[in-house]
Amino acid sequence: MKNISLLVIIVSAFAFLPICAGAQSFAPYQPTAADEKIAYQQAAHLDSIIRGKAYKTTVKAHWQADNKSFWYKNYLKDSTVEFIVVDAVKGTKAPAFDHAKLASALNKYDARHLPITDLLIEKSALKFSIKDQWYTYKNGTFTPIPSPQTTTPQTAFREISRWSFHDDNASSDTSSPNKEWISTIQNGNVFLKATGTADSIQLTIDGSADQPYGALQWSPDSRYFVGYHIRPEKIKSIHHLLSSLPDQTRARLDTEEYAQPGDPFTSFEMFIFNPSDKKVIKVNTPLYDFLGKPYLRWRKDDPRYFTYEKADRGHQRFRIIEVDAGNGNTRNLVDEQTKTFIYESRIFTHYLEATNEIIWSSEKDGWYHLYLVDALKGTIKNEITKGPYVVRDIDSVDEKKREIWFRASGMNAGEDPYNIHYYRINFDGTQLVSLTKENAQHSLSYSPDRTYYLDTYSRPDVAPVTTLHRSADGRQLMEIEKADLRDYFATGIRLPEVFTAKARDGQTDIWGIVCRPSSFDSTLRYPVIENIYAGPQDAFVPKTFMTYSEMQSLAELGFIVVQIDGMGTANRSKAFHDVCWQNLADAGLPDRILWIKALAARYPYVDTTRVGLYGTSAGGQNAAGALLFHPEFYKAAVSACGCHDNRVDKQWWNEQWMGYPVGPHYAAQSNVTNAAKLRGKLLLIVGEADNNVPPESTYRVVDALIKANKDFDLLVVPGMGHSDGGPYGRLKKRDFFVKNLLGVTPPDRN
């Protein structure tokens, strides 16, 4: 492994040496109340001193106009700064200027604390900005100047940002592009008139105020326009009672729209209007009845045709549909169907107008990959990326060179399959170029013309390194910075360990991290706390270096704190992700339990008889569910703002994973339905102003627990939104685990 400091290797290796004796010979870690009070103090002290002790962890390049050099700022000990300039062509770096001389000339600032926010480094002078005022510095003197004008170099690359294929713009076109026609909506119907005339022709008669036509859009050549017969559905409301408003003696009721699973959507029936013969043609396509109206793309070389994208409700079918505006006929250019789910928010499409092609993403072969579609024939020309790895994102498309720049994970054998690496590939799937090599998580930033890029890579157990590369072939030109961790390790902090174990299938690797107390004694057995979030929309175990984490802070109280991505989460194979389908109560818990048991098998100081977990939102659902569905393993849980019943939570998220229509499986997996199964210790936290997950999701669990005569703790935070409880909630969480896993009374703060 390259560019890992010897200090990091020594500390990591020393911290995680396995103990060979059997776990039965280890006494449980059992502090006294006095010991634990000291632990709280030490944890708070570490929290206060650890911040700002890791230097040179990031490099933000400010490229100069020539695209051959850049400057950046290093943050060093005691909040001091230094400015560095890099010559990418020569592969050299040096101070951007003489800090002492400039500070002396300014006669206001310390050379180590210059508050410069921007620089322009020219041959004859230095230009810099302080507090939005620019100066020029030359021959030992500086002069105020106007803000310099800068230009952005032109590039053939098209930066990609994900966008919804639904058109949220509810306005209608009125004038045609050639300005010869005016279309309007009157009393819910479509009217048309020639520009400059008074008389309008009514084109529809079945519109009304309750079910109007609308959202008109003209074709670029003004031969047609599209409109919809709209059947509106009012979104139902949720309510919040805000109890503790300042300067008020009464609570306030807040109401907002909030769609829940099964609620109806406004639907759009598509029609084509032809100004030349005044004909109205109903498009031969189903109602667009999910998440608004579609975004239309008219074919550039023949605007008689347009396409739109349609994801069916239930998330099991996705189509790119072409419409012939001349007759209303349609055909499917892409028609993907699955028995589980299509992850709608990760659908990627990029339209190549010049060649009538589409770049489209799909998991049709079991992995998230890119395909090149012939938009005229409606066939797949080729699979662009292929193999047992996941395309994670698309950075840019070079339509002239027919190249895609993208990120992927899982391509590099022998390393964490979640690590993001960067690549370039041709549209036809040839000439795959890897831009990143090291076994780590990578983050790239490019020069404006993409001639060069900076690669910052790290892992939870590897400090950040930033290197400069040439984009043409990925060649490394120089190392820019390596994080300085001497003061960081002097605090006694431990780096997390990256740990893997087999999933429930006995084959798939499950990845996670382990945090241990800095005062860790390997001859004692420590309780385990899992930080859980099994929301299927992503994976959540950190993959980069963390200068501070709440997990490590919690570990300082005498716990081994872990975080794991079990089956049912994203960024692995389609089969790995499909475990969550109509199965959110699973939460990957069988994999997490096996992972913790494997950790204990390797390290006998891991006590699997004292295991707790905490989480927020979906993690709150998971944490409470662990006590309901796996009480034989989990003994204590802190559940904050949990979406405990997927019928109560937001529509778009829950139907994506639990499906539509709402069936009995929703109730079967609800923490409300299963509340009477509670064993172990449970703390529920909820904010009364949560507009992400309605507070009644938690209150219904409370109601069911009371009716089942169960013992539990509840913290309601007045005025709080969707949160883990804030500082007070986090304090109560620590006290809860200290009391219920360590058996120690927390410090008395009164």
Side-chain angles (χ1 to χ4, degrees):
M1 188 180 299
K2 296 165 61 180
N3 296 315
I4 302 175
S5 70
L6 181 61
L7 179 59
V8 173
I9 295 174
I10 292 174
V11 170
S12 299
F14 177 76
F16 308 133
L17 283 175
I19 307 299
C20 299
Q24 64 274 13
S25 63
F26 286 67
Y29 173 68
Q30 193 62 64
T32 65
D35 294 334
E36 198 61 21
K37 183 176 182 179
I38 294 173
Y40 271 87
Q41 294 170 347
Q42 291 176 336
H45 179 66
L46 183 61
D47 288 350
S48 67
I49 66 171
I50 196 68
R51 302 174 191 271
K53 289 295 191 295
Y55 317 128
K56 302 182 180 181
T57 58
T58 59
V59 173
K60 182 179 179 181
H62 301 264
W63 288 88
Q64 301 296 284
D66 60 3
N67 279 295
K68 297 177 181 179
S69 61
F70 64 89
W71 67 269
Y72 65 94
K73 184 191 300 187
N74 271 334
Y75 293 89
L76 306 175
K77 187 174 183 178
D78 298 328
S79 299
T80 60
V81 295
E82 64 177 0
F83 297 84
I84 306 294
V85 64
V86 174
D87 186 319
V89 177
K90 297 178 181 178
T92 60
K93 71 173 187 175
F97 50 84
D98 188 317
H99 292 57
K101 284 187 177 180
L102 181 57
S104 176
L106 290 170
N107 197 27
K108 287 181 67 175
Y109 304 105
D110 185 295
R112 301 180 304 164
H113 296 90
L114 290 169
I116 292 174
T117 56
D118 206 352
L119 282 174
L120 287 176
I121 303 171
E122 300 175 348
K123 289 184 178 179
S124 59
L126 175 75
K127 296 177 181 178
F128 61 92
S129 172
I130 295 178
K131 297 180 179 180
D132 297 325
Q133 173 62 57
W134 278 85
Y135 303 89
T136 183
Y137 177 68
K138 186 176 182 180
N139 298 327
T141 61
F142 70 96
T143 307
I145 60 172
S147 177
Q149 297 295 317
T150 58
T151 58
T152 302
Q154 296 297 314
T155 174
F157 297 96
R158 292 183 61 181
E159 298 289 347
I160 299 299
S161 60
R162 294 193 181 279
W163 46 270
S164 171
F165 48 79
H166 307 289
D167 187 357
D168 294 328
N169 182 6
S171 64
S172 296
D173 289 344
T174 53
S175 297
S176 61
N178 63 10
K179 306 303 180 183
E180 294 181 3
W181 299 98
I182 298 175
S183 58
T184 59
I185 303 295
Q186 301 175 33
N187 299 319
N189 284 294
V190 180
F191 287 75
L192 180 72
K193 70 173 183 177
T195 302
T197 64
D199 296 331
S200 294
I201 300 171
Q202 185 170 349
L203 300 183
T204 66
I205 59 173
D206 56 339
S208 66
D210 294 333
Q211 296 188 357
Y213 282 82
L216 308 180
Q217 184 181 132
W218 283 89
S219 64
D221 62 0
S222 302
R223 292 177 60 195
Y224 310 97
F225 64 94
V226 177
Y228 304 90
H229 195 182
I230 304 170
R231 294 167 176 81
E233 290 285 351
K234 182 174 176 56
I235 300 175
K236 297 179 181 179
S237 298
I238 60 170
H239 312 278
H240 302 95
L241 191 65
L242 306 183
S243 66
S244 305
L245 299 172
D247 303 322
Q248 295 191 30
T249 59
R250 291 177 173 85
R252 186 180 76 207
L253 179 67
D254 280 359
T255 299
E256 62 180 297
E257 293 182 340
Y258 190 97
Q260 293 178 329
D263 287 355
F265 282 95
T266 295
S267 62
F268 299 81
E269 187 175 21
M270 186 183 292
F271 289 85
I272 303 292
F273 300 89
N274 189 328
S276 62
D277 58 13
K278 313 303 184 291
K279 285 185 177 180
V280 180
I281 302 172
K282 181 183 179 300
V283 176
N284 182 26
T285 188
L287 282 175
Y288 204 92
D289 58 354
F290 185 44
L291 297 176
K293 64 185 176 70
Y295 185 93
L296 308 184
R297 296 173 188 81
W298 296 86
R299 191 193 294 176
K300 190 172 184 179
D301 61 353
D302 188 354
R304 170 172 170 165
Y305 300 92
F306 66 87
T307 60
Y308 70 94
E309 301 177 4
K310 187 178 193 303
D312 287 5
R313 189 168 187 180
H315 305 275
Q316 293 182 301
R317 189 180 189 187
F318 171 75
R319 284 171 284 176
I320 301 178
I321 301 171
E322 181 188 75
V323 179
D324 183 339
N327 54 32
N329 290 337
T330 62
R331 63 174 180 143
N332 296 326
L333 304 183
V334 167
D335 187 355
E336 182 178 17
Q337 302 180 52
T338 179
K339 293 181 179 179
T340 56
F341 63 87
I342 296 171
Y343 191 178
E344 179 194 318
S345 65
R346 289 198 179 180
I347 295 172
F348 174 81
T349 51
H350 182 81
Y351 291 77
L352 306 166
E353 293 181 342
T355 56
N356 285 310
E357 294 170 305
I358 305 169
I359 299 171
W360 162 61
S361 67
S362 171
E363 291 182 285
K364 64 199 304 289
D365 74 350
W367 301 85
Y368 190 92
H369 282 302
L370 301 176
Y371 295 80
L372 186 64
V373 177
D374 187 320
L376 296 180
K377 296 180 180 179
T379 58
I380 294 175
K381 299 179 73 170
N382 59 269
E383 190 169 7
I384 300 172
T385 60
K386 188 174 184 178
Y389 65 92
V390 178
V391 173
R392 296 286 293 274
D393 213 341
I394 293 82
D395 288 331
S396 61
V397 175
D398 188 331
E399 297 186 12
K400 291 183 178 180
K401 293 184 178 180
R402 295 179 67 82
E403 293 176 340
I404 301 172
W405 299 59
F406 68 100
R407 307 172 211 179
S409 59
M411 199 184 300
N412 293 27
E415 70 172 86
D416 187 333
Y418 295 93
N419 283 346
I420 290 178
H421 288 266
Y422 287 67
Y423 302 90
R424 183 175 67 242
I425 195 170
N426 290 342
F427 286 4
D428 63 4
T430 63
Q431 298 299 313
L432 176 68
V433 176
S434 174
L435 302 175
T436 52
K437 308 296 183 185
E438 290 79 9
N439 177 350
Q441 176 95 325
H442 293 259
S443 178
L444 265 58
S445 64
Y446 298 92
S447 62
D449 64 356
R450 290 237 171 177
T451 300
Y452 304 100
Y453 63 88
L454 272 73
D455 175 15
T456 299
Y457 62 87
S458 70
R459 294 198 319 239
D461 57 346
V462 173
V465 177
T466 300
T467 52
L468 176 67
H469 297 252
R470 186 171 59 196
S471 298
D473 54 8
R475 178 188 170 192
Q476 180 174 321
L477 302 178
M478 63 181 297
E479 181 179 287
I480 302 298
E481 292 292 354
K482 181 183 294 183
D484 180 353
L485 301 183
R486 288 171 294 182
D487 289 352
Y488 184 76
F489 284 123
T491 65
I493 193 77
R494 290 176 177 270
L495 294 183
E497 177 188 3
V498 177
F499 187 79
T500 62
K502 295 300 180 184
R504 69 190 81 173
D505 62 5
Q507 298 179 350
T508 306
D509 285 334
I510 300 296
W511 290 75
I513 60 171
V514 186
C515 296
R516 297 166 173 81
S518 57
S519 59
F520 168 70
D521 182 345
S522 63
T523 66
L524 300 174
R525 286 190 295 135
Y526 289 79
V528 180
I529 299 175
E530 179 184 352
N531 173 13
I532 188 170
Y533 189 96
Q537 72 269 19
D538 211 331
F540 302 96
V541 174
K543 300 300 172 184
T544 57
F545 184 80
M546 303 176 291
T547 56
Y548 170 83
S549 76
E550 189 202 5
M551 290 173 59
Q552 184 60 49
S553 181
L554 182 57
E556 296 299 326
L557 300 183
F559 303 104
I560 292 176
V561 184
V562 303
Q563 189 172 3
I564 310 158
D565 282 317
M567 283 188 166
T569 49
N571 304 331
R572 299 285 289 274
S573 69
K574 174 65 172 164
F576 189 99
H577 203 184
D578 276 349
V579 170
C580 75
W581 172 240
Q582 297 188 349
N583 190 34
L584 289 185
D586 178 275
L589 290 166
D591 310 305
R592 299 167 189 274
I593 292 170
L594 289 172
W595 189 95
I596 294 172
K597 288 181 176 179
L599 184 70
R602 181 170 179 181
Y603 302 118
Y605 48 75
V606 174
D607 188 349
T608 58
T609 68
R610 296 184 290 172
V611 181
L613 70 174
Y614 68 93
T616 301
S617 194
Q621 177 185 18
N622 308 145
L627 295 187
L628 305 180
F629 302 112
H630 297 277
E632 77 289 345
F633 188 75
Y634 295 102
K635 307 305 179 188
V638 177
S639 167
C641 294
C643 39
H644 297 285
D645 190 313
N646 300 108
R647 297 168 294 183
V648 177
D649 193 24
K650 64 195 76 64
Q651 180 279 328
W652 64 268
W653 192 90
N654 291 272
E655 284 190 12
Q656 170 69 77
W657 316 116
M658 293 292 283
Y660 175 83
V662 175
H665 61 287
Y666 273 78
Q669 297 180 58
S670 165
N671 288 348
V672 179
T673 306
N674 293 281
K677 298 178 181 177
L678 177 66
R679 287 163 53 191
K681 302 297 183 180
L682 173 63
L683 167 60
L684 295 167
I685 301 175
V686 65
E688 67 175 10
D690 190 344
N691 60 4
N692 184 321
V693 178
E696 56 260 39
S697 181
T698 296
Y699 296 150
R700 289 173 186 236
V701 176
V702 170
D703 180 55
L705 290 171
I706 291 173
K707 289 175 179 176
N709 201 31
K710 293 293 182 177
D711 184 40
F712 64 98
D713 293 318
L714 172 65
L715 171 62
V716 179
V717 184
M720 188 185 78
H722 195 62
S723 167
D724 63 353
Y728 187 75
R730 288 189 286 274
L731 187 64
K732 296 298 289 184
K733 173 174 64 183
R734 295 182 179 211
D735 291 352
F736 179 85
F737 286 128
V738 166
K739 178 181 177 181
N740 292 293
L741 293 182
L742 290 176
V744 176
T745 301
D748 184 354
R749 299 182 184 86
N750 292 343

